[in-house]
Amino acid sequence: MSNAIKKFVADECGVTAIEYGILAAAMAAAIGLIFGADGVFVTALRTRFNGIAEQIGGTGGKTATTPAK
């Protein structure tokens, strides 16, 4: 019985799998934070596209004028 316990304690095969699992969980959390609905990347894109849309629509500080006929 003590031989089996010694082999179990010395066996490190499962340790690598656990480390990869922790790394995958950390990467998933980081991706969720960056690309989530209120993430940094999405917020920056939304701000940039809203600014571009305002400039195209004529509400970006300059008023759009219609040419006289």
Side-chain angles (χ1 to χ4, degrees):
M1 182 69 170
S2 74
N3 249 355
I5 294 173
K6 285 180 184 178
K7 284 183 183 179
F8 178 74
V9 171
D11 186 16
E12 294 184 3
C13 290
V15 174
T16 303
I18 292 171
E19 290 171 349
Y20 281 128
I22 292 171
L23 183 63
M27 290 175 66
I31 289 171
L33 181 68
I34 293 170
F35 294 107
D38 292 329
V40 176
F41 183 74
V42 173
T43 303
L45 271 180
R46 187 177 298 128
T47 302
R48 178 61 68 184
F49 281 129
N50 285 340
I52 293 170
E54 286 178 4
Q55 289 176 357
I56 291 172
T59 60
K62 294 183 179 179
T63 58
T65 57
T66 56
K69 291 184 179 182

